[in-house]
Amino acid sequence: MDHTEARTPSPASETPQAHTSPAIRAKIDRIRKACEEGPDVEALIDLATSKDGLVDDEVRRKVWPALLGYTLPAKSEGSPDRAGWQSLPRHQDEDQVRLDVDRSFIYYPKNETEPRLDRRKKELSAVITEVLRSYPMLSYFQGFHDIAQVFLLVLGVDDAAAAVSRLSLLRIRDFMLPSLSPSLAHLRLLPSILHAADTKLFHHLSQTQPFFALAATLTLYAHDIQEYGDIARLFDFLLAHGAVVSVYFFAVIVLSRREELFDIPADEPEMLHSVLSKLPKPLDLEALIAKTMELYEKFPPERLPFRAWARISPFSVLKTTRANLCQQTLNDGIELFEKQAAQLRREQMLEQAKAALWKHRRPIGRVGIAVIIGMVAFWLRRGDVGSHAAITLRTMWEYFRTS
C-alpha cells in the first residue's frame, strides 16, 4: 500500500459533536491535559469511562494508543519493519481475510461513494494482513475484521496496524490462539456473574449454554452494533479496562432483559438462546456502562462463585489485562501466547489420553487408568510433551493393556 496517499477521512460526522456544550469542551480540555502529562493513563481511563467517553475521533486518535500502552508514531519492539511487511510470507488465513473484507463497511460509514468504499476495503485488508504477516502465530477469526475496521476509521491506515497489533497480542490474544477453548473460557464466566447478581435469573437460564454471547464478546460488540458513534463510544470504555469487563458488560445486557427472559419458559433453551444472541435495540450505552462498573465493583472476578476465576488460565488476557497495558510489550504478548498455546497442547493431550483410557477401561482396570492418568498429568505439568514422554506413556500403555 502506498502510504503517500492522502488519508481517507474518518466518518467523524457520525460521532457525537456537542462541542458547543461547555461540559464537553471542559472534558476535552481535561483529556488533552491528561495526554500531555505522561500521559496520565489513570485519568484517561476515568475520562473514557465517564459519560460521552472520549467525545470524538480527533480525541480518540490521541487516547486509544495510550490506553493500549504506546504512543504514536509507533515502531514497536518485536515488530518487523513496517515498510517491509508486504515481502513477508503469506499468512495461511489470508483467503478468509479477503472474503470478510469484501463484506465490511456494511453499516458505516454512511453515504460512501463506491471508489471511496473500495479504497477503505483495500486499507482494511492491508492493516489486517500486515498484522497477520508480522505475527504469523496469530490465528485469524471471522469478526476480527469488524474490530479492525473500527480502528482503521478512528486512527487511519498509517496508525491502525500498530494499534491492532497490540490489541491482538495483549488484549484479544485468547481469541487468536489455535483453539476455541480460551474464547469459551470467557463465556464460562457469564453464568457465575449472573448467579452472583441475580440467582433467580441464573436458574431460569441454567439450561441455556452461554454460547449466545460468543459473537458479541469475540468481536468486542463490533459485529452487532450498527451505529459508528455507538461502537466508537463502547471501544472507549472497553479499551480503558481489562478484558473481563467485556463479559460483565454482556451480563448487564442480560440482566436488563430480565422481564423479557422470564416470559420465555426455562425449558425452551433454543428460544432463550435465539433471543440472547441478538443485542436489544436501541442500546442505552451510557446506562449499561455505568451498571457494568457497578456490577464489576460489587462482584469482582475473585469473588465469583463456582471457583470460576480460579479456573481461568494465568496466561489468559482475562487475567493479564487486569492492570493497564503500559507495562506490557509486544514481546510479552508473544511470550504469553506461546505459554498459553503450550498449555492448550498439554490439556489436549490429557483429554486424548483420558478418552483412550476410557475406551479400553475394561482390560486396563480402574487402578491402571488412575495410574496412567496420574503419570500423564505429571509429565504435562512438567511441560514434557516431547518424544520422551510419548515413548514412556506408550510403554506404560502396553504394560497395562497386556497385563
Side-chain angles (χ1 to χ4, degrees), residues 1-3 70 72-76 79-88 123 126-128 130-131 134-135 152 156-163 165:
M1 181 179 51
D2 183 1
H3 293 286
Y70 75 101
L72 292 174
K75 172 60 175 74
S76 303
S79 63
D81 182 2
R82 282 206 57 205
W85 71 265
Q86 291 171 314
S87 63
L88 293 173
E123 292 174 345
V127 168
I128 296 173
E130 177 178 345
V131 172
S134 299
Y135 305 99
L152 173 64
V157 65
D158 288 332
D159 298 324
S165 293

Side-chain angles (χ1 to χ4, degrees), residues 70-125:
Y70 75 101
T71 56
L72 292 174
K75 172 60 175 74
S76 303
E77 79 304 321
S79 63
D81 182 2
R82 282 206 57 205
W85 71 265
Q86 291 171 314
S87 63
L88 293 173
R90 195 173 187 274
H91 192 278
Q92 62 180 1
D93 296 329
E94 287 186 31
D95 288 340
Q96 185 61 54
V97 171
R98 177 177 55 79
L99 293 174
D100 286 352
V101 167
D102 286 344
R103 296 189 291 262
S104 61
F105 302 109
I106 300 298
Y107 301 114
Y108 52 80
K110 297 177 180 177
N111 304 316
E112 291 276 77
T113 64
E114 282 298 322
R116 177 168 286 183
L117 185 60
D118 288 342
R119 181 173 172 181
R120 288 195 190 276
K121 289 182 178 181
K122 290 178 182 177
E123 292 174 345
L124 178 60
S125 178

Side-chain angles (χ1 to χ4, degrees), residues 214-259:
L214 183 61
T217 54
L218 195 68
T219 64
L220 305 182
Y221 302 87
H223 180 72
D224 297 273
I225 293 179
Q226 299 177 6
E227 294 297 326
Y228 177 71
D230 288 345
I231 192 58
R233 165 66 185 108
L234 184 56
F235 271 34
D236 294 343
F237 170 63
L238 295 178
L239 295 178
H241 297 277
V244 72
V245 170
S246 179
V247 186
Y248 278 79
F249 184 80
F250 200 97
V252 167
I253 293 175
V254 174
L255 292 166
S256 74
R257 309 178 75 176
R258 190 177 193 273
E259 294 183 6

Side-chain angles (χ1 to χ4, degrees), residues 138-199:
L138 296 173
S139 296
Y140 177 83
F141 61 89
Q142 286 185 274
F144 182 81
H145 71 292
D146 293 313
I147 300 173
Q149 77 177 21
V150 179
F151 277 87
L152 173 64
L153 293 172
V154 170
L155 299 178
V157 65
D158 288 332
D159 298 324
V164 175
S165 293
R166 286 189 66 84
L167 184 89
S168 300
L169 283 166
L170 300 175
R171 181 62 171 70
I172 61 170
R173 181 179 62 249
D174 292 3
F175 308 152
M176 307 195 76
L177 283 151
S179 166
L180 189 62
S181 177
S183 302
L184 298 181
H186 290 232
L187 304 186
R188 294 190 190 101
L189 288 177
L190 190 56
S192 299
I193 299 171
L194 293 176
H195 185 278
D198 189 331
T199 306

